[in-house]
Amino acid sequence: NYVYKGKYLLTGSLRRDGYSAFGQSNPNANFGSVALGWTVSEENFYNSELFDLIKLRASYGTNGNRGVGIYDALSNLSTGKYLFTNNTSGAEYYVSQHYASRMENKNLRWERTSAYNFGLDFSTLKGRLRGNVDGYFMITKDLIMPRQLPNVTGYASVFDNLGQVNNSGIEISLNSTNIQKKDLTWTTGFSLSHNKNEIKHLFYDYVEDENGNLVEVDDINNGWFIGEDINAVWDYELNGIWQEEETDAAKVYSRFAGDWKQVDQNDDKLYTNADKKILGSTQPKVRLTFRNDVTWKNFEFAVKMYSYLGMLQQNNHRKSSDVFYDRGAPLNVPYWTPENRNNEWAGIESYASGFNVWDKASFVRVDNISLSYNVPSALLQKAKIVNAKISLIAQNPFVYAPNWGWMDPEIR
């Protein structure tokens, strides 16, 4: 750490980490970081009365992830028995065997993230309003994941370093002192964050497209697509429930009235992967927190709220297929029936295979409300008690999720 004239700051670090679980060729890796800071409000030319503090920050650093089991890079020898039949005598007997059940990877190495960060710290109104604004861009390479192998190798997969995922976002935090008097203090804290990630590479397998250009292959099995969010929802688009007057059209897809209506995107009268599309992401686009603290004499009052906005969550309860007649139904829900036609809840025991129902799961939650009273020390001295506080706390009392069709949107 180095500080010059109280306004120029330099911080640097360099380290070498080792983890014996990685391949024998790459157990160690070097990581470092450097950060610069400039307190602009300390300069002689700074004469603004609006801001008490202006500080600019910039940093770059690398970090590693060792998310691999202690033996995952090594070959594994397993034992077993199988029944052998003698072709001549027809006698049967067990034969012991030893076989390699896991492929080794001597070159498995650390997953590495490089991060760029730019920030602003400020204070105004004589310190009553303080805040930070940070923007970042992160590149994660050599992700540790099992790579699928052809059956001819004798192995299903091997741990390897693959792919690249980029993350970018912004974080804002504000803290204010709204009232500060002898017996009354009121403070507020607010934060907002937004993150966007994008898959840049997966397995580095390429094919030619219809124009003869090389394009990287997507991982359909895991729902990972080049250029998309790693948490992207890739599924069938739903267009309500098949109604009785649509019985003939539903039979084309082997469906009946009361079943979910999947959209046939290419109109080939079949439901295939070609009909699936990116519907959204399970990652919130925006995260918010909001807190208020009020102190009046011996009383303390606090309210904490947070919100996740812009994400999807599975709500397969709306398939209406998770009922057990001998045990009861999970909830009194408006299942589709000929007398209760709707486009939100399928009929009981409707067709439910091969797709998911996705709901918008944005919510605002009042996470904590507390009211406390600090018992005056004059009343405690007689009982030889140093301090005592009486509190009334409501944990998770309210949640508002207008587009979510089940119980708590954070509980699957």
Side-chain angles (χ1 to χ4, degrees), residues 187-192 287-293 301-309 363-370 394-400 410:
T187 61
T188 298
F190 170 80
S191 68
L192 177 151
R287 301 172 189 259
L288 303 168
T289 64
F290 187 63
R291 180 184 178 98
N292 279 280
D293 293 272
F301 178 73
V303 178
K304 179 184 177 183
M305 306 169 60
Y306 68 91
S307 176
Y308 294 169
L309 304 175
F363 68 88
V364 178
R365 183 185 303 280
V366 179
D367 185 49
N368 186 283
I369 302 176
S370 65
Q395 189 72 32
N396 189 27
F398 307 109
V399 61
Y400 175 66
E410 281 195 285

Side-chain angles (χ1 to χ4, degrees), residues 276-347:
K276 294 183 179 180
K277 59 184 295 187
I278 302 296
L279 303 178
S281 173
T282 59
Q283 174 177 278
K285 293 181 179 179
V286 177
R287 301 172 189 259
L288 303 168
T289 64
F290 187 63
R291 180 184 178 98
N292 279 280
D293 293 272
V294 178
T295 302
W296 178 66
K297 294 185 177 180
N298 288 358
F299 290 93
E300 298 175 1
F301 178 73
V303 178
K304 179 184 177 183
M305 306 169 60
Y306 68 91
S307 176
Y308 294 169
L309 304 175
M311 72 287 194
L312 298 177
Q313 295 288 3
Q314 284 185 21
N315 186 8
N316 286 329
H317 299 287
R318 293 209 285 135
K319 291 182 180 181
S320 306
S321 62
D322 54 354
V323 293
F324 298 89
Y325 301 110
D326 59 333
R327 306 174 199 175
L331 192 67
N332 181 21
V333 296
Y335 302 118
W336 183 96
T337 66
E339 297 76 30
N340 183 43
R341 296 155 59 99
N342 69 81
N343 281 299
E344 302 297 328
W345 291 86

Side-chain angles (χ1 to χ4, degrees), residues 355-379:
F355 70 97
N356 296 293
V357 179
W358 297 90
D359 275 353
K360 296 178 181 179
S362 299
F363 68 88
V364 178
R365 183 185 303 280
V366 179
D367 185 49
N368 186 283
I369 302 176
S370 65
L371 177 63
S372 302
Y373 177 71
N374 293 291
V375 181
S377 57
L379 299 178

Side-chain angles (χ1 to χ4, degrees), residues 227-287:
E228 297 291 345
D229 191 318
I230 196 171
N231 302 297
V233 174
W234 180 64
D235 211 332
Y236 294 103
E237 183 181 4
L238 300 179
N239 187 27
I241 308 292
W242 289 107
Q243 305 298 327
E244 287 184 306
E245 61 270 19
E246 300 174 302
T247 299
D248 292 339
K251 285 182 178 179
V252 174
Y253 300 95
S254 300
R255 301 294 190 268
F256 300 92
D259 291 341
W260 276 103
K261 186 190 298 182
Q262 298 155 255
V263 177
D264 183 4
Q265 302 287 351
N266 56 11
D267 199 28
D268 63 354
K269 309 306 178 184
L270 296 171
Y271 289 140
T272 66
N273 285 341
D275 298 310
K276 294 183 179 180
K277 59 184 295 187
I278 302 296
L279 303 178
S281 173
T282 59
Q283 174 177 278
K285 293 181 179 179
V286 177
R287 301 172 189 259

